[in-house]
Amino acid sequence: MVSMPKKKSSLTLKRVLALLLAYVMLCFAGGVVTSLLLLPAAVAVNNTVKATLPSLSVEGIDFDVTSLPQKSTIYASDGKTVIASFYAQNREVVPIKNISSYMQKAVVAREDKRFFEHNGVDVQGVLRAFVQTYVKKGDTQGGSTLTQQYVKNVLLVQAQEDNDPIAEYNASEDTVARKIREMLIAVQMERKYTKAEILQGYLNIAQFGRNSLYGVETAAKRYFNVSAKDLNVVQSATIAAITKNPTQYDPSVKSNQAAAEKQRNIVLDLMYQQGYITKKQHDEAKATPLVKTLNIQSVEVNSGCQSAGDSAYFCDYVTNKILNSTEFGKTRAERVRLLNQGGLKIYSTMDVNANSAAMKTARETIPVNDSSGFEVVIAAIQPGTGKVLGFGINRTYDATDAARTDSTKTAINYAVDEDDGGGQGFPVGSTWKPINMVAWMLAGHSINESLTTSTVYNLSKFNCGTHKFSGYWSVHNVNGYTVSPESPFLALVRSHNTTQASMASTIGLCAIANTAKTLGYHNSPSGEEDIYSDISFNAPMVIGAVQASPLSMANVYATIAANGVECTPIAMTKVLDSSGNQLKVPSANCHQAISSEVAQTTAYAMNQGVVRSDGVAKSTQLDNNRKTFAKTGTNEENYMLTGGFVPQVASFVAVGNAEYQVDFTGKTINGVTHSTWYGEYIAAPAWKKFMDTYLKAANISVDNNYGTPASKFLTTSSSTS
């Protein structure tokens, strides 16, 4: 009684397969339409068969080889240096004309010797598999053709793209239903596509090694450092052998090489038996040790910014720009898919020299493992173009859980806004003051006007538009007192806060806020970007009590450096899709924000007053007597900052604890101790070191013609505040 159900089950399975074979032969002989007319009668014989019937619909299944997931690559501004690659499957699609004939023949010989004879399903192969598996009780065999294997791979890839685990399971489960479905679609495919197109699809979709290595082009470069079009006999046989077991036959693994050579030789035998190579070619190839043919190239084991080294923070910035930009898809999910599977070539603005100099400077200023724990953050941008050149952070980029418990590691790029993968920003202190000077001139005033100052201001004097303030603001300079009267020019030279307050009370706080926006400024915290946000729009704003990213401040300085032309920072200049079509990228929107006269007069004040005279930023003077424009700053005892420019590059340095405020007082940093720290002690030297290093490495010539003041802004007059 116990054995009866087993016997019945076995007969049922054989019956299913017999019906399947009958159906396949009908497909082969009379086509799908004829078979559909006869299939219902056959199915009625057994409910088990009926349960396995798939739908003939192949709608939504894209067998176009160009739609396969392909890795996207980010390049530096030189168009050659690879920053990082992103992929769900590491693949580079190539047309059949760019795949050597030996490679095509090798995979046909190995996988489907009657490929050019059958119509999608190899009846002889299925019969052989049936007899071997169920009559002779031998090893299980599938009898799948190359077309069926291509179908299986495409269904699996689509399920993964759609994040559909059920479809993924159905595409790979070892069942009769799956086999039938593959056969049905394979027959339809053979009616729609040529053999060359199907072979092309298979060679681009198949897995040829570990670590998500897919497609013959990637395999050729990985194992032999050649393109697929240049593969010879022995190389082709080696690659064709891998698909049977991509993990065990991957020849880049030393422990696999004996097995890989054995499998390669099997392919060579098959190629000879099927007339694809001569006996001489066969014998010479087979006698060649596999290890002597290999030229293993590195392959990205970890895709994305994690493997980008010192370019990782810039990589993260580019990634976030793509994921935040509607140019790359309506939804974030679409953009993620495009980045990981779209085969994009992304040409970024990162200057290798600038990024390298910034990272080196940051780590030498305060070593990664310094006991102080302070961050050094640098951002650089090209004036007049919006091109972000590089970032420096004295941290190791790490997006894994390890960064949670290791303060030397982080995936947060503190140089950029929170929405772009950054933090909350830094209070920028006195580096804000050039913005006040620009606002002052835009309001029609001279930088040499004599202003009455005080240490206490009635906040109602800062009223503007609908914005009303009440109460009093107590403000003082670093020495505790004020200088009255004092001009805006001397106030910038001496970095006096009280005169900044006097300027704001004269022209109104809105004039300064609007100027900041005009110059390209915005706050860093997500949702609080507008300068009129509660976190920034108040009287202390005029002495830098804001939350800004170093990149935002570098961009403000870049506007002053570019004769008043403001550009939105950009991370990439060009993006090509997998077909070579150019995609739209976010624009820099460069425009004349302020007059050249205002920009150059501000630059004049920063150079002649702040740097070259007895100003607070004299330690920033660049090498080779290069005309230097800079401003230092501090925020209480918690942050030290320096921003500045030459006509070709603007940059900004912030030093402090990026997560929360930490007092610098009495701290030892990189072996140096000060009872009181100022920007010129650490941020200014870091700024100078970065600029000198980059300018020399990039061979940027000295241009000392910038910074000519407009006479109308230099007149001396009085103004009572």
Side-chain angles (χ1 to χ4, degrees):
M1 296 293 292
V2 177
S3 62
M4 291 298 289
K6 290 184 179 180
K7 185 176 181 181
K8 184 177 181 181
S9 175
S10 177
L11 288 172
T12 300
L13 180 57
K14 290 183 180 181
R15 197 172 185 183
V16 169
L17 290 171
L19 287 169
L20 170 60
L21 288 173
Y23 172 62
V24 169
M25 285 182 243
L26 283 169
C27 289
F28 183 79
V32 174
V33 175
T34 303
S35 66
L36 281 174
L37 296 175
L38 300 175
L39 187 59
V43 172
V45 176
N46 194 298
N47 288 332
T48 304
V49 179
K50 185 181 295 184
T52 66
L53 275 179
S55 170
L56 273 177
S57 173
V58 291
E59 293 179 3
I61 302 173
D62 190 354
F63 291 98
D64 181 1
V65 67
T66 61
S67 70
L68 292 175
Q70 299 184 59
K71 70 175 180 180
S72 295
T73 304
I74 301 177
Y75 298 92
S77 60
D78 59 15
K80 299 177 181 178
T81 303
V82 174
I83 296 176
S85 295
F86 294 80
Y87 55 84
Q89 296 180 346
N90 189 1
R91 175 187 289 108
E92 185 176 345
V93 169
V94 290
I96 194 70
K97 67 179 181 179
N98 288 342
I99 302 173
S100 81
S101 62
Y102 289 125
M103 186 66 234
Q104 298 176 44
K105 293 169 182 175
V107 76
V108 169
R110 172 71 178 219
E111 300 295 331
D112 187 1
K113 67 180 181 180
R114 282 183 290 274
F115 174 67
F116 294 104
E117 301 168 13
H118 62 65
N119 288 346
V121 176
D122 182 4
V123 177
Q124 294 181 52
V126 175
L127 284 170
R128 185 194 69 250
F130 174 74
V131 172
Q132 178 66 27
T133 304
Y134 295 104
V135 178
K136 293 185 177 181
K137 306 293 186 182
D139 295 334
T140 301
Q141 296 190 10
S144 293
T145 64
L146 273 176
T147 311
Q148 289 173 247
Q149 292 180 51
Y150 180 40
V151 169
K152 176 184 176 181
N153 279 312
V154 171
L155 294 174
L156 187 61
V157 165
Q158 180 168 301
Q160 292 168 343
E161 288 181 353
D162 295 340
N163 194 26
D164 188 342
I166 296 177
E168 186 174 351
Y169 171 76
N170 289 336
S172 57
E173 64 177 338
D174 189 16
T175 63
V176 173
R178 194 207 86 208
K179 285 287 187 181
I180 295 176
R181 185 187 187 200
E182 287 176 5
M183 290 177 177
L184 292 171
I185 299 175
V187 172
Q188 290 183 332
M189 279 198 66
E190 291 271 358
R191 290 170 171 269
K192 183 176 180 181
Y193 297 98
T194 67
K195 291 290 186 181
E197 289 171 327
I198 293 170
L199 184 57
Q200 171 181 274
Y202 176 81
L203 284 166
N204 278 288
I205 201 171
Q207 185 174 0
F208 289 108
R210 306 181 311 151
N211 301 324
S212 298
L213 196 153
Y214 292 83
V216 67
E217 179 72 5
T218 306
K221 291 179 178 178
R222 164 66 167 154
Y223 304 126
F224 306 110
N225 195 27
V226 299
S227 293
K229 64 182 176 63
D230 299 318
L231 288 169
N232 59 31
V233 172
V234 71
Q235 293 168 339
S236 299
T238 302
I239 293 175
I242 298 172
T243 55
K244 288 295 184 184
N245 194 320
T247 299
Q248 293 185 11
Y249 300 154
D250 184 330
S252 66
V253 181
K254 287 187 177 180
S255 59
N256 288 350
Q257 287 174 353
E261 182 172 318
K262 180 180 179 180
Q263 294 299 318
R264 178 204 68 180
N265 291 343
I266 291 174
V267 176
L268 290 170
D269 290 343
L270 292 170
M271 292 178 74
Y272 173 62
Q273 292 166 13
Q274 296 170 36
Y276 290 135
I277 56 176
T278 65
K279 189 175 189 308
K280 181 181 179 182
Q281 288 176 309
H282 167 268
D283 294 346
E284 289 179 352
K286 201 168 179 180
T288 305
L290 180 137
V291 292
K292 290 188 176 181
T293 69
L294 299 174
N295 184 4
I296 304 297
Q297 302 298 304
S298 62
V299 64
E300 305 95 336
V301 175
N302 297 311
S303 68
C305 299
Q306 188 70 25
S307 58
D310 278 356
S311 301
Y313 290 107
F314 201 97
C315 169
D316 190 78
Y317 178 60
V318 173
T319 302
N320 277 286
K321 281 299 183 184
I322 290 174
L323 299 184
N324 292 338
S325 301
T326 55
E327 287 91 342
F328 300 102
K330 293 182 180 180
T331 66
R332 187 177 180 87
E334 289 178 3
R335 297 166 212 150
V336 169
R337 178 175 174 178
L338 180 65
L339 178 63
N340 289 320
Q341 303 179 21
L344 303 179
K345 292 187 183 300
I346 304 160
Y347 296 91
S348 79
T349 61
M350 191 194 87
D351 184 308
V352 174
N353 289 319
N355 198 79
S356 176
M359 290 297 295
K360 187 173 185 289
T361 298
R363 288 174 175 160
E364 290 182 352
T365 301
I366 301 181
V368 173
N369 58 354
D370 191 79
S371 60
S372 69
F374 289 117
E375 278 94 7
V376 178
V377 184
I378 303 172
I381 192 169
Q382 186 179 76
T385 67
K387 295 178 181 178
V388 181
L389 300 175
F391 301 117
I393 301 177
N394 63 331
R395 291 289 178 265
T396 299
Y397 184 91
D398 195 331
T400 70
D401 290 340
R404 296 181 181 179
T405 56
D406 188 343
S407 61
T408 69
K409 299 177 179 179
T410 184
I412 301 174
N413 181 1
Y414 295 112
V416 301
D417 298 331
E418 187 174 19
D419 277 348
D420 291 327
Q424 293 284 305
F426 297 86
V428 300
S430 294
T431 60
W432 177 276
K433 290 172 182 175
I435 297 175
N436 298 337
M437 178 160 281
V438 172
W440 183 253
M441 285 185 279
L442 290 178
H445 295 275
S446 164
I447 65 173
N448 287 319
E449 286 186 20
S450 182
L451 293 174
T452 301
T453 70
S454 174
T455 56
V456 178
Y457 285 85
N458 188 326
L459 288 175
S460 63
K461 290 189 175 183
F462 296 86
N463 291 345
C464 54
T466 60
H467 301 279
K468 307 297 181 183
F469 303 94
S470 60
Y472 293 87
W473 178 30
S474 177
V475 58
H476 56 80
N477 302 321
V478 69
N479 51 23
Y481 58 86
T482 188
V483 173
S484 183
E486 186 175 54
S487 69
F489 174 78
L490 289 177
L492 188 67
V493 172
R494 301 162 179 166
S495 199
H496 281 171
N497 295 333
T498 53
T499 307
Q500 310 303 315
S502 179
M503 293 163 66
S505 68
T506 301
I507 63 176
L509 202 60
C510 290
I512 293 176
N514 290 338
T515 296
K517 293 178 71 172
T518 297
L519 292 173
Y521 175 85
H522 54 264
N523 298 324
S524 180
S526 180
E528 302 285 350
E529 293 87 354
D530 196 322
I531 186 63
Y532 284 97
S533 168
D534 290 340
I535 67 170
S536 56
F537 191 67
N538 47 52
M541 175 184 74
V542 303
I543 57 172
V546 295
Q547 290 175 241
S549 70
L551 180 58
S552 182
M553 288 302 297
N555 193 45
V556 167
Y557 280 63
T559 303
I560 300 172
N563 267 307
V565 174
E566 192 273 328
C567 304
T568 301
I570 57 172
M572 60 204 106
T573 55
K574 182 173 66 174
V575 176
L576 304 179
D577 66 15
S578 59
S579 299
N581 300 313
Q582 191 163 330
L583 304 182
K584 185 179 179 181
V585 298
S587 171
N589 296 313
C590 296
H591 62 281
Q592 194 72 46
I594 60 175
S595 70
S596 174
E597 291 178 322
V598 170
Q600 294 231 23
T601 303
T602 305
Y604 159 81
M606 293 174 69
N607 172 254
Q608 291 296 319
V610 181
V611 176
R612 294 188 65 84
S613 67
D614 196 28
V616 293
K618 57 184 179 292
S619 61
T620 62
Q621 176 59 53
L622 298 174
D623 292 347
N624 302 318
N625 200 33
R626 190 186 294 265
K627 203 170 184 180
T628 307
F629 310 88
K631 182 69 184 77
T632 59
T634 58
N635 180 265
E636 302 298 337
E637 288 79 32
N638 307 119
Y639 299 98
M640 297 176 289
L641 316 108
T642 296
F645 61 87
V646 294
Q648 301 92 338
V649 57
S651 61
F652 193 88
V653 176
V655 181
N657 190 297
E659 291 84 18
Y660 50 89
Q661 290 187 347
V662 175
D663 198 326
F664 275 97
T665 304
K667 286 287 192 303
T668 298
I669 303 174
N670 198 10
V672 178
T673 304
H674 287 291
S675 58
T676 301
W677 284 84
Y678 297 105
E680 59 265 33
Y681 289 170
I682 190 167
W687 182 86
K688 171 180 165 57
K689 184 172 186 177
F690 161 70
M691 292 289 285
D692 280 333
T693 302
Y694 171 54
L695 291 168
K696 182 178 180 180
N699 196 28
I700 295 176
S701 60
V702 175
D703 178 4
N704 288 340
N705 295 319
Y706 197 72
T708 302
S711 58
K712 65 180 180 180
F713 294 126
L714 299 180
T715 57
T716 302
S717 60
S718 61
S719 175
T720 302
S721 175

